[in-house]
Amino acid sequence: MVQKGQFLERSTLIPVGSDGAVMEGTVHRGQKSPPLLILPPRPEEGGGMDHVVAAELAFAVARAGFPSLRFNHRGVGASQGARGTGGALVEDAEAAMRVALENAGTSALAVASLHGGARVALALQERHPAVGGLCLVAPDVDPLSLVRLSCPLLVIVGAEDTRVPRAALAAAVAEAGGDLEVIDDAGATFHRNLPQVGRAAA
């Protein structure tokens, strides 16, 4: 039973690849558009769909009325198949994107990524016009990779996250016509002020 103030999570299976493998995912329903696809950190970063920031994003957009889908890449958690890198991670994201679009009955979606998942998000947006907006949380990317974007961009970083030079990141986001949200008193993992990340994304 779902009580007032709670959000119903549903498990879902995502077919991927030509070998019949499936990835595990979690869906939140919502009536608004666009749906949000949440990309976890890459497997080599120890990332999965239960990452605390991924869960916060899902709950924040659910509170705002938007559907979401987050998932585990192949070889992570209960997802079948072997762990991949590079193009294999993009293939995983493409499979999840198809399910998210089908579930919501729309032709476009927004994509949020965590850490190195930003590289997957950028590749996904480059390949698919259906990606109508990007939210990169604590991205581990070359800032120059952001300036070519042709969709709305939001970058969320902790004030204490020094992995990417702040001035270069701010300049790249501005050149892309995007917004940079800096969360005070927070690092790359947002052990502090995590709810602010969800509010900014929603």
Side-chain angles (χ1 to χ4, degrees), residues 141-197:
V141 293
D142 179 352
L144 292 177
S145 65
L146 305 179
V147 301
R148 303 186 306 268
L149 286 175
S150 58
C151 70
L153 171 68
L154 171 63
V155 176
I156 302 173
V157 295
E160 298 171 7
D161 183 359
T162 59
R163 295 170 305 143
V164 177
R166 183 65 45 77
L169 182 61
V173 171
E175 187 172 343
D179 294 309
L180 177 63
E181 184 80 24
V182 180
I183 307 298
D184 291 334
D185 195 30
T189 55
F190 299 99
H191 289 305
R192 295 182 299 277
N193 294 327
L194 177 62
Q196 292 184 30
V197 177

Side-chain angles (χ1 to χ4, degrees), residues 17-110:
S18 58
D19 59 356
V22 294
M23 300 183 299
E24 65 171 335
T26 299
V27 170
H28 278 97
R29 290 183 175 176
Q31 299 303 314
K32 294 183 180 178
S33 188
L36 179 66
L37 174 63
I38 301 170
L39 306 182
R42 293 172 301 161
E44 58 263 38
E45 299 173 306
M49 69 176 182
D50 293 324
H51 189 286
V52 65
V53 178
E56 179 62 31
L57 291 174
F59 291 133
V61 299
R63 284 192 295 270
F66 295 91
S68 70
L69 168 64
R70 63 191 200 268
F71 69 99
N72 278 331
H73 285 288
R74 279 176 285 185
V76 176
S79 289
Q80 299 174 342
R83 288 190 180 194
T85 59
L89 300 182
V90 178
E91 185 178 304
D92 293 350
E94 288 172 326
M97 180 186 72
R98 288 190 291 271
V99 170
L101 290 171
E102 182 179 338
N103 285 351
T106 63
S107 59
L109 81 170

